[in-house]
Amino acid sequence: MAGKLSEMMGTTVEYWVTLQKLYDKMQAEFFCDIDLEKEVFKVLDYKYFRHYFGLPDLPRKIGEQIKCVRDFLAVPSLAVLKMKEVGVVKNYG
């Protein structure tokens, strides 16, 4: 597949192999963060998001609540909220 992509896009096979390795690494880090994500979610008040931003009512469905908040905040994991280097960018568009 990397060979076909490199021919089509005019890149090297190594580029695609490296990209796949980086993706695999990010996936592994993400799945290791599930416990941390649940810890962060405990601090958040899902009712707040539901009331003020119209997220669905999902009683006792923590996994789905986490996914909704994650999608709403447009983050790959709620664990990023514990990272010190995360900055906030205001969109004036």
Side-chain angles (χ1 to χ4, degrees):
M1 182 61 103
K4 290 180 182 181
L5 286 169
S6 66
E7 281 181 36
M8 187 173 79
M9 304 296 283
T11 59
T12 64
V13 172
E14 292 79 23
Y15 171 80
W16 294 104
V17 171
T18 301
L19 196 60
Q20 181 66 49
K21 286 179 184 178
L22 289 171
Y23 174 78
D24 293 341
K25 181 182 175 195
M26 288 175 62
Q27 285 288 97
E29 289 172 357
F30 172 75
F31 287 112
C32 289
D33 286 342
I34 290 176
D35 291 334
L36 181 57
E37 187 174 44
K38 287 180 181 178
E39 179 184 322
V40 170
F41 185 73
K42 288 179 186 177
V43 177
L44 299 175
D45 184 4
Y46 184 76
K47 293 176 195 171
Y48 174 84
F49 289 95
R50 193 183 73 227
H51 179 76
Y52 290 103
F53 300 105
L55 270 58
D57 186 21
L58 300 166
R60 294 185 296 275
K61 294 183 181 179
I62 302 300
E64 291 180 41
Q65 290 177 1
I66 289 173
K67 183 183 180 321
C68 287
V69 173
R70 194 186 308 135
D71 291 345
F72 176 75
L73 296 175
V75 294
S77 169
L78 297 181
V80 300
L81 299 176
K82 289 201 76 154
M83 296 170 67
K84 293 179 183 175
E85 59 273 0
V86 173
V88 177
V89 177
K90 181 150 176 102
N91 183 358
Y92 293 99

